[in-house]
Amino acid sequence: MQTVRTVDVVDCSFLFCFSKHSKAAVQIKEDMKWMAQLPMNKPSPATVTGGKKIFGVSLLELRDLGLVKDGVPVVVRSMVEYLEKHSLRLEGLFRVNGSIRTVDNLRQRFDGGEEVDLHQDADAFAVASLLKQFLRDLPEALIHPSIHNPLIQLYQANDVVSDLRKLLLQLPDIHYSLLHYLCHFLSQVEQEQAHNRMTATNLATVFGPNVFQ
């Protein structure tokens, strides 16, 4: 029996507004045209990967390697839970880049299978930068190329919300699950915009290029 999936369109639709508010997004939209042509248990703060590479690996492969829990990569859960606890009201979250050295060190440690406790070994800006890098390094964009062309058609029709649910349900399960999880988290960030200055438009400007690549 096939499981029926649901998604809150309001939580996800803001990711697509970057196409209307950012000049850079215009180029991304053109790039997308070109490309089109050719529930949960709380993990421990420490994440161990058993020496299996995480960054730059497809979501399907991560699942096959046992590095996905309830449809979401364990490393992503670790980063999001850290940010939820420490950073929702932090001004500049996702706009201020973390230390390149710290971000690179965290990535190497995760990929090397070390036990990484973000509460002790990182800061909010570094974790936020690492989360964006994880999405950016996926071999296939989180917004899977299979729905890029229909999304372009939605933009041209200027009717993003009404058919968005149908398009999202066409995503591979693992992409859908992570997108839903990410949007839920970003909606929490947006609710604290009075403190962190991250409006829906700002979040879309930051994350749109990362989820569409």
Side-chain angles (χ1 to χ4, degrees):
M1 180 176 181
Q2 185 176 4
T3 302
V4 177
R5 299 180 296 175
T6 60
V7 63
D8 188 341
V9 172
V10 175
D11 283 348
C12 291
S13 61
F14 72 87
L15 276 178
F16 307 107
C17 72
F18 79 100
S19 66
K20 298 180 180 179
H21 297 285
S22 169
K23 291 182 179 179
V26 174
Q27 182 59 51
I28 293 169
K29 181 175 175 180
E30 293 302 316
D31 291 343
M32 287 168 57
K33 290 180 181 178
W34 176 80
M35 286 186 291
Q37 293 172 358
L38 294 164
M40 68 189 63
N41 294 325
K42 186 174 182 180
S44 162
T47 302
V48 182
T49 68
K52 302 169 185 174
K53 188 176 180 181
I54 295 177
F55 288 79
V57 177
S58 73
L59 294 176
L60 288 174
E61 186 175 350
L62 288 176
R63 183 171 64 184
D64 291 342
L65 291 171
L67 300 177
V68 171
K69 191 176 186 66
D70 296 329
V72 178
V74 175
V75 67
V76 172
R77 286 188 180 277
S78 179
M79 290 187 284
V80 166
E81 289 183 356
Y82 172 92
L83 294 172
E84 285 176 333
K85 183 174 181 179
H86 296 283
S87 315
L88 290 181
R89 293 192 169 192
L90 180 63
E91 185 171 354
L93 181 65
F94 293 119
R95 286 197 294 177
V96 176
N97 292 324
S99 161
I100 295 176
R101 178 177 297 179
T102 301
V103 173
D104 188 57
N105 177 260
L106 289 171
R107 172 178 175 163
Q108 290 183 29
R109 291 178 63 190
F110 275 121
D111 277 343
E114 291 187 37
E115 184 173 301
V116 180
D117 189 338
L118 296 176
H119 299 275
Q120 295 184 2
D121 302 335
D123 61 85
F125 293 124
V127 175
S129 294
L130 191 66
L131 177 59
K132 290 186 294 182
Q133 183 169 347
F134 177 87
L135 297 171
R136 189 165 56 248
D137 288 353
L138 288 173
E140 289 185 313
L142 181 57
I143 303 294
H144 196 269
S146 63
I147 67 168
H148 282 178
N149 196 41
L151 279 173
I152 293 297
Q153 294 173 0
L154 266 185
Y155 295 145
Q156 293 172 341
N158 196 31
D159 186 17
V160 173
V161 176
S162 64
D163 292 327
L164 182 56
R165 177 178 281 110
K166 293 179 182 178
L167 285 178
L168 293 179
L169 291 174
Q170 295 176 23
L171 287 171
D173 288 348
I174 187 67
H175 287 250
Y176 176 95
S177 297
L178 178 53
L179 178 63
H180 189 276
Y181 183 81
L182 178 65
C183 288
H184 176 72
F185 165 60
L186 294 182
S187 70
Q188 295 180 69
V189 176
E190 192 270 341
Q191 289 170 16
E192 300 291 348
Q193 62 176 280
H195 303 279
N196 59 38
R197 309 300 182 188
M198 292 305 290
T199 63
T201 298
N202 288 338
L203 286 169
T205 300
V206 171
F207 277 90
N210 289 312
V211 300
F212 279 97
Q213 296 182 1

